[in-house]
Amino acid sequence: MNYVKKLILLLCIVFAVSACGYHNSATEPSRVGEQFREIAINKVENPTLERWLEPKIRSMLRDEITRRGQLTWTDKSKAEALINIRIIELSDGSRILGNKDTTLKYDMTLKVQMKVTSAADGALIWNSGPVSVTESYYTGQEDETQQLITRLMVRRLVDKMNQAY
């Protein structure tokens, strides 16, 4: 009898997990399309004064897409699709002021746009539109917050690219 209860419990868990929409990210549909599996980063426009931002976004984007296993990285000359990223802004400002108008907490915002184009004819395949990430931080946490918002931005861009519904 215990065996039957365990089997029923296991089946209930399997059905619950499948009913909630869980699936392996490698099988997740992509807005890029099946004909565009080999990709390369064409360019990253960075009008900010933060020179570390471009290589960090390139590196994190490659890692995130590789981790999900949906697309294959290749040279620009062999790519079927090209990724173009435009960093719109990286800004920070006061969020909470104390009694003496001194800043107690700051906000940092990263705004980015990513486009995927066909390498053959330059036709637009997918456009993220402006995507923004904002995080709060205290004095002395600037570096950690920069790393965090960059990581969150890359995840959000790849998530958005994979939402084919």
Side-chain angles (χ1 to χ4, degrees):
M1 191 51 116
N2 253 349
Y3 176 74
V4 174
K5 288 180 181 179
K6 288 179 183 178
L7 183 61
I8 290 173
L9 179 63
L10 178 64
L11 287 174
C12 288
I13 291 171
V14 169
F15 288 131
V17 167
S18 64
C20 73
Y22 175 81
H23 56 277
N24 186 338
S25 64
T27 62
E28 189 172 315
S30 174
R31 289 186 177 211
V32 176
E34 291 299 321
Q35 69 274 27
F36 302 106
R37 288 287 147 218
E38 296 198 354
I39 61 168
I41 296 176
N42 186 37
K43 66 180 174 180
V44 178
E45 294 177 37
N46 182 10
T48 72
L49 298 175
E50 305 294 335
R51 295 295 145 224
W52 61 268
L53 192 53
E54 176 188 347
K56 187 54 107 175
I57 286 179
R58 282 179 183 270
S59 172
M60 286 182 168
L61 183 67
R62 285 183 65 95
D63 291 348
E64 186 68 23
I65 289 175
T66 300
R67 188 173 16 264
R68 295 186 190 207
Q70 297 169 306
L71 303 172
T72 305
W73 292 103
T74 189
D75 296 330
K76 282 186 202 179
S77 61
K78 298 175 186 173
E80 299 162 339
L82 298 172
I83 294 176
N84 297 293
I85 298 171
R86 183 171 62 96
I87 300 165
I88 299 169
E89 74 173 314
L90 175 64
S91 61
D92 60 9
S94 299
R95 178 165 186 203
I96 298 175
L97 297 174
N99 292 341
K100 299 177 184 175
D101 283 338
T102 57
T103 302
L104 302 176
K105 198 169 190 181
Y106 297 87
D107 271 345
M108 187 176 294
T109 300
L110 176 60
K111 188 183 277 189
V112 172
Q113 181 173 17
M114 185 167 88
K115 293 181 182 181
V116 180
T117 59
S118 168
D121 60 6
L124 181 65
I125 299 168
W126 177 77
N127 182 359
S128 71
V131 178
S132 182
V133 173
T134 302
E135 282 295 320
S136 299
Y137 67 96
Y138 295 102
T139 302
Q141 296 176 330
E142 293 85 359
D143 293 341
E144 295 89 358
T145 305
Q146 288 173 345
Q147 298 302 314
L148 176 62
I149 65 168
T150 306
R151 186 172 49 253
L152 293 174
M153 174 57 72
V154 167
R155 283 186 192 158
R156 187 165 294 165
L157 287 170
V158 177
D159 285 345
K160 198 169 181 179
M161 185 173 65
N162 288 328
Q163 294 171 349
Y165 44 84

